Amino acid sequence: MDLAFLHPLYEHPGPWASVYVDTSRHTEATPQERQLTARAMARQLADQGADEATCRAVQSAIEDLRHSSEPHGRALFARAGEVVLDPPLARPPQGGDWAEWAPLPRVTPLLELAGEDPVCVVAYVDRKGADFELRSGLGSEAAGSVTGRQWPVHRTSSVDWSERHFQLRVENTWEHNAAEIADALAVCQEETRADLLILVGDDRERRSVHERLPKRLHDLVVEAPHGTGSRLLDGDVERARADHVRRRAAAELERFLAARNPDDEGRAGAVEGVPALIEAAREHRIDELLIRPDGPDAHREVWIGEDPDQVAVRRTDLKILGEQHSWPARADDALIRSAVASDAAALAVSDQDRQETQEAHEVPVGGLGALLRWK
């Protein structure tokens, strides 16, 4: 997950209100339910010590969602009476709505709820052209179309020489149109930076377009088994998106497992455990942070200063570094703050990701690890 969008959360000091709201249910009573949720979240924050202005800002922001048709949910991060960031979620928050008041924003859940949300272009292909649709966890939108030659596109059953000549022209039309579609699809992928290209149509149409796409895109292509108009097509698309996420996560986990093995000089390209991670964070060596949310180290207490690289296992360590003000914080949130400041990425490691690797147990050890920029 690219963490750049989190920069606004670390441009101001805390404490912060972090709220996760489920918007996946839509009934006639939804507006009233959202108002009740808004009051409940404001009360939770107040009970934890949040200031009145911030509680009001959170309550107002949730009330503004009472007519929202968002399919999953929203995260809200607020301080000093202002909601600073409110990203939509790609899946509903586990356990329903919740709120927390803490020195740092609780952003770790975003790695699972709004992290890997692959964007895909669904290409509805036929012999005359194709329509493109852009899909993500937040919905779909039209992404253009391409029209090829319109005639001739249908075969005949005659064996007459002239008819065979006609059928050859049909073949040429199909090939021309497939090339036109492939070119337009490649441009669409480049413009949208789509993670997947899903081809919908009959076997020959899909295969013809697939073969004519640039080789650099072949690994991104999925041919949907069900055609346009099938009620099973949405399932095909979601499975393709989920498979993509699992493959990416498993590949990163394999890379981490390989990198943590020391070389001949005893140096490793990955570390795990809070002390080693804090040292890497202070030196800006973290390239990608790996977090297993159920790991015991994720909620381990560490100490932070005002700057992102001011993080330590013990409070006295910060005083040695010259930091006069310090606060306790969760290890995962403190390390994410450091990762954002140094333009590193982050990945939530699930049970399924670990099962797809050769070493399925306790990876990373304690629940926190990192691939390093240098050994």
Side-chain angles (χ1 to χ4, degrees), residues 135-313:
R135 289 205 195 188
S136 71
L138 302 178
S140 61
E141 61 181 273
S145 62
V146 57
T147 302
R149 293 175 181 168
Q150 301 301 294
W151 184 91
V153 293
H154 296 292
R155 293 173 176 268
T156 69
S157 58
S158 172
V159 295
D160 180 80
W161 179 88
S162 62
E163 291 299 332
R164 289 200 302 271
H165 180 68
F166 176 83
Q167 290 176 19
L168 180 60
R169 293 178 62 190
V170 170
E171 293 283 348
N172 291 339
T173 300
W174 286 359
E175 292 177 4
H176 174 273
N177 289 354
E180 291 271 334
I181 294 168
D183 288 345
L185 187 54
V187 171
C188 186
Q189 188 279 332
E190 185 174 355
E191 291 177 346
T192 60
R193 297 185 179 181
D195 302 289
L196 287 171
L197 302 175
I198 301 179
L199 303 180
V200 182
D202 70 27
D203 290 345
R204 173 166 182 162
E205 292 160 357
R206 297 196 312 261
R207 187 169 59 253
S208 295
V209 173
H210 193 165
E211 291 171 351
R212 287 165 175 78
L213 283 166
K215 288 185 178 180
R216 63 181 176 83
L217 298 179
H218 281 193
D219 289 342
L220 307 184
V221 177
V222 176
E223 295 189 26
H226 299 97
T228 305
S230 170
R231 60 185 177 83
L232 301 176
L233 178 59
D234 286 345
D236 294 341
V237 173
E238 289 310 305
R239 275 190 294 276
R241 295 177 69 246
D243 288 346
H244 175 80
V245 171
R246 284 193 293 271
R247 287 195 303 271
R248 287 277 299 272
E252 287 301 284
L253 201 51
E254 289 284 7
R255 192 161 72 96
F256 171 80
L257 290 171
R260 72 179 183 176
N261 295 321
D263 60 17
D264 294 339
E265 298 180 10
R267 300 175 304 175
V271 294
E272 50 198 342
V274 172
L277 285 163
I278 284 178
E279 181 182 353
R282 286 205 294 252
E283 296 173 351
H284 298 182
R285 285 193 294 136
I286 293 178
D287 186 51
E288 183 175 37
L289 186 65
L290 278 69
I291 297 179
R292 180 161 52 87
D294 61 348
D297 283 352
H299 52 77
R300 177 175 168 178
E301 183 180 88
V302 298
W303 289 86
I304 61 168
E306 293 182 354
D307 295 329
D309 57 358
Q310 292 172 335
V311 56
V313 175

Side-chain angles (χ1 to χ4, degrees), residues 6-117:
L6 295 177
H7 273 288
L9 299 183
Y10 305 109
E11 294 172 354
H12 307 284
W16 285 85
S18 304
V19 183
Y20 288 78
V21 180
D22 187 341
T23 62
S24 62
R25 298 179 299 276
H26 303 283
T27 67
E28 292 183 358
T30 293
Q32 292 77 20
E33 291 173 353
R34 299 267 167 86
Q35 286 186 316
L36 293 175
T37 297
R39 295 171 192 161
M41 295 299 98
R43 281 197 304 272
Q44 283 189 29
L45 292 170
D47 291 344
Q48 296 175 52
D51 60 277
E52 185 177 347
T54 299
C55 293
R56 284 199 306 268
V58 168
Q59 181 171 339
S60 176
I62 299 175
E63 288 175 345
D64 289 344
L65 295 174
R66 61 187 179 274
H67 298 298
S68 171
S69 59
E70 290 184 8
H72 305 297
R74 184 77 70 91
L76 304 168
F77 301 99
R79 63 168 295 280
E82 177 188 8
V83 175
V84 177
L85 194 67
D86 60 342
L89 304 179
R91 53 192 62 85
Q94 297 176 353
D97 313 309
W98 59 272
E100 186 171 314
W101 180 249
L104 289 178
R106 281 288 293 120
V107 295
T108 301
L110 281 179
L111 301 185
E112 293 184 290
L113 302 178
E116 282 291 322
D117 178 22

Side-chain angles (χ1 to χ4, degrees), residues 257 260 292 351 354-355 357-365:
L257 290 171
R260 72 179 183 176
R292 180 161 52 87
D351 290 338
R354 298 201 302 275
Q355 290 167 4
T357 66
Q358 295 178 353
E359 301 179 40
H361 59 285
E362 300 299 317
V363 179
V365 173

Side-chain angles (χ1 to χ4, degrees), residues 327-340:
W327 302 268
R330 287 177 57 116
D332 54 357
D333 289 327
L335 289 167
I336 287 178
R337 181 179 73 153
S338 297
V340 171

